[in-house]
Amino acid sequence: MSHYDFDLFVIGAGSGGVRASRMAAGFGARVGVAEDLYLGGTCVNVGCVPKKLFAYSAHYSEDFEDAKGYGWDLPDAHFDWSALLENKNQEIARLNGIYRNMLKASGVTIMDARARFIDSHTLQVGDKQVTAEHILIATGGWPHIPEFPGSEHVISSNEVFHLETLPKRILVVGGGYIAIEFASIFHGMQREVSLLYRGELFLRGFDTSLREHMAATIKHKGIDLRFNADVRNIERQADGSLLVTLKDGTTLETDLVLYATGRKPNLKGLGLENTAVTLDDKGFIAVNTDYETQDPGIYAIGDVTDTLQLTPVALAEGMALARRLFQPADYVPVDYRDIPTAVFCIPNIATLGLTEEQAREAGHALNIYESRFRPMRNTLAGRGEESLMKMIVDKASDRVLGVHMIGPDAGEIVQGMAVALKAGATKAMFDATLGIHPTAAEEFVTMRTPTRSD
Ligand code: FAD
């Protein structure tokens, strides 16, 4: 046994930190974890989970509209933000309790305090000092709001989950998935929503067909989309509303401004200056492929490093590191290819593997299969909205390189496709698979003729 208090001490009990702690303890290591805000981290408290609960809530307004075509009349439906918030808070408290019990049951020592490095093996955790042979930094990210005149009037995704009231008019600024999700959520909650993005088209990095289709879809729903636009300043008016002046001089009145313009690594007060840990040129903790920092014995995983900012990625990294340190015989490095991901806007976007642009850049000659159709559910509902499904296939090998979808439950559908791609599925294998009828998902196994072929 080492002379340190712990074999592994983890800073941050978010997605990656909790997984690494529990796994390491399961392998027999003496593990401690420090968390100063909330067990479960961003995902459970101010990220994936409450966001998805809000998205479920937002969906009801369309469901109620659609229900009429199916013979249901719901004249009295109205939305109560405080009821949603209270129920959400209860659910999150339940999950916090589950995380605490899971960690305790695994034998992990939980310290509810902020941790700060004193030296490479010593941490100040609240009013205690602890030493550890290995220290894992899993402190995640924090919303970044640029400074400009009036920036004190805007909120980030951290505050949106605790608003006392949800005002009538909301402006969302940003072009990433969090911005699109919240624009959809507020729209579903019957708010007047504007979405402002300084680029040409939102969701940079996603397949262009998806980006264009989504922009057209949410615009048609009534979200005021403004691309190539940016905020110059914001003033609070006498009636409490906000006057937003854009860089082109035009103005917009709103009641709430949500900035979803990216996240920065959460390094505040961590005391990295007392270690040999270095940052990369984007300000993330620099690690090698084994999550080792420049300081032997200190590691970093998840959003505090320059990795894909997704919970399953942080979980996989936590698991891989725990194995590498304490069960090396079972160590399997994380495979970063073909990571599926969804955007829980309405309708959902889900994406997996290469976009058409990435596949071309990689030099593949392609067959592109693209289908736009009105899902059956929308027929009696009287909803004109179309789904989009797209497959990117390498002509030479017939391998499916990418699968992309916009439509109801796209996230649920594309998760299954991810298994197929991991197994190296070819288009011929998709063709040989029978559909489940009648579903939207069966479209993925019935697209026979390429829309475009190189
Ligand atoms: P985190 O989960 O952020 O955990 C870090 C923890 O460290 C925090 O609890 C923090 O309080 C603690 N901490 C920080 N500094 C200290 C310190 N010095 N001492 C003690 N504790 C400290 N991902 C998905 O896969 N799907 C989604 O749908 C999704 N939706 C999202 C929606 C929003 C609005 C946001 C913001 C994120 C979303 N994400 C989603 C991303 C996902 O939440 C993150 O990728 C994931 O939580 C990263 O895990 P992590 O372990 O790196 O850090």
Side-chain angles (χ1 to χ4, degrees), residues 359-377:
R360 286 195 197 291
E361 268 168 35
H364 295 278
L366 300 175
N367 278 331
I368 304 292
Y369 297 82
E370 202 170 307
S371 170
R372 288 162 208 262
F373 61 97
R374 195 175 175 209
M376 189 199 264
R377 190 182 184 285

Side-chain angles (χ1 to χ4, degrees), residues 12 14-16 35 41-42 48 51 115 138-140 177 263 303 309-312:
S15 308
E35 172 56 56
T42 303
C48 334
K51 183 269 312 272
T139 52
Y177 77 93
R263 295 170 64 79
D303 285 9
Q309 298 191 356
L310 293 169
T311 277

Side-chain angles (χ1 to χ4, degrees), residues 289-291 319-321 323-325 327-334:
T289 49
D290 287 330
Y291 314 108
M319 207 141 63
L321 181 68
R323 283 205 179 109
R324 203 179 76 73
L325 293 178
Q327 188 97 324
D330 293 341
Y331 172 56
V332 187
V334 177

Side-chain angles (χ1 to χ4, degrees), residues 11-17 34-38 40-43 46-48 51 113-115 138-141 157 161 177-178 182 263 266 270 301-303 309-312 314 344:
I11 310 177
S15 308
E35 172 56 56
D36 73 329
L37 285 180
Y38 27 48
T42 303
C43 174
V46 287
C48 334
K51 183 269 312 272
R114 201 161 178 82
T139 52
S157 60
F161 294 109
Y177 77 93
I178 295 175
F182 275 104
R263 295 170 64 79
N266 191 355
L270 199 54
I301 56 164
D303 285 9
Q309 298 191 356
L310 293 169
T311 277
F344 295 103

Side-chain angles (χ1 to χ4, degrees), residues 95-204:
L95 294 176
N96 294 146
I98 288 177
Y99 271 78
R100 187 168 296 278
N101 291 339
M102 280 189 322
L103 284 165
K104 275 193 190 157
S106 310
V108 175
T109 304
I110 306 170
M111 299 179 77
D112 296 295
R114 201 161 178 82
R116 177 183 166 78
F117 280 97
I118 291 174
D119 63 41
S120 303
H121 291 279
T122 314
L123 293 165
Q124 185 72 39
V125 185
D127 57 5
K128 296 201 173 66
Q129 280 197 3
V130 297
T131 60
E133 182 172 3
H134 305 285
I135 296 180
L136 171 60
I137 305 172
T139 52
W142 201 253
H144 171 67
I145 299 178
E147 284 216 0
F148 59 87
S151 57
E152 68 275 16
H153 300 307
V154 316
I155 63 161
S156 74
S157 60
N158 278 356
E159 293 78 47
V160 81
F161 294 109
H162 303 286
L163 288 175
E164 276 178 23
T165 55
L166 193 66
K168 190 162 152 267
R169 299 168 298 178
I170 303 177
L171 169 67
V172 180
V173 181
Y177 77 93
I178 295 175
I180 321 290
E181 288 176 335
F182 275 104
S184 265
I185 285 169
F186 296 143
H187 178 74
M189 292 172 179
Q190 298 176 326
R191 269 46 192 176
E192 291 167 25
V193 181
S194 300
L195 176 65
L196 202 89
Y197 175 52
R198 63 181 179 188
E200 288 274 314
L201 186 60
F202 55 28
L203 292 174
R204 198 156 48 91

Side-chain angles (χ1 to χ4, degrees), residues 8 18 36 45 63 76 83 92 113 135 151-152 204 231 254-255 285 296 298 313 323 329 368 386 396 412 440:
L8 173 69
V18 167
D36 73 329
N45 296 278
D63 291 345
D76 294 330
I92 303 302
I135 296 180
S151 57
E152 68 275 16
R204 198 156 48 91
V231 174
T254 189
D255 304 310
I285 293 188
I298 304 183
V313 173
R323 283 205 179 109
I368 304 292
E386 289 191 328
E412 307 289 344

Side-chain angles (χ1 to χ4, degrees), residues 223-296:
I223 294 178
D224 166 32
L225 276 188
R226 300 184 187 208
F227 294 139
N228 296 311
D230 205 355
V231 174
R232 182 192 293 160
N233 67 283
I234 300 179
E235 289 163 70
R236 170 90 57 201
Q237 306 193 106
D239 65 355
S241 65
L242 297 169
L243 182 67
V244 181
T245 306
L246 306 187
K247 287 195 173 151
D248 65 3
T250 55
T251 57
L252 187 152
E253 259 194 39
T254 189
D255 304 310
L256 178 74
V257 180
L258 168 67
Y259 257 70
T261 44
R263 295 170 64 79
K264 293 235 158 123
N266 191 355
L267 302 172
K268 210 168 143 203
L270 199 54
L272 288 185
E273 62 281 6
N274 302 324
T275 69
V277 173
T278 55
L279 304 184
D280 66 17
D281 51 6
K282 292 191 212 154
F284 292 101
I285 293 188
V287 286
N288 63 15
T289 49
D290 287 330
Y291 314 108
E292 292 166 344
T293 68
Q294 289 292 319
D295 197 328

